[in-house]
Amino acid sequence: MPTLVLARVLQAFGGGAITPTGLAMIAEVFPPKERGRALGLWAWVSSSAPRSAPPWAGISPKPLAGGASFNINLPIGVVGLLAATRVLRADKPHAQTHRGFDLPGFLLLTTFLVAALLGLSMAIAKAGF
């Protein structure tokens, strides 16, 4: 059980970075006139997995319904990586200058999130849920 919990924590770190990183890349790569369309496409694609995975699991043959169905992510990831190497360039004329890592903001956000989640967890436990 501790290994499973640790693996889920590590997965959460990676998964938690996907949304803000994707949004930051869109803001960096696309000029202001094209950002709305890019954000719409990003939202559509990022919401497609939760709505398409259950039907796929329901209609796929049993060998594909289990762990083998996750292998579809490998070619999708390779295509995404290849597309990113073509689209994400630092020499874009509209690219913003790098501002560096915001350590005070990171520490404040981390402190707030830990306190908020701890308080919420304690309130839920006290309410008996």
Side-chain angles (χ1 to χ4, degrees), residues 32-108:
K33 284 187 169 188
E34 296 177 17
R35 280 190 196 142
R37 181 173 290 185
L39 287 169
L41 180 63
W42 175 85
W44 178 76
V45 170
S46 65
S47 67
S48 65
R51 72 173 179 258
S52 63
W56 168 252
I59 64 171
S60 65
K62 286 295 178 195
L64 293 178
S69 65
F70 291 103
N71 290 334
I72 190 95
N73 291 330
L74 185 61
I76 291 172
V78 169
V79 169
L81 185 62
L82 293 174
T85 59
R86 296 191 56 138
V87 174
L88 301 175
R89 302 265 186 220
D91 58 348
K92 299 272 184 185
H94 54 271
Q96 301 173 5
T97 59
H98 181 66
R99 288 174 229 111
F101 183 71
D102 181 17
L103 183 62
F106 172 76
L107 293 174
L108 284 171

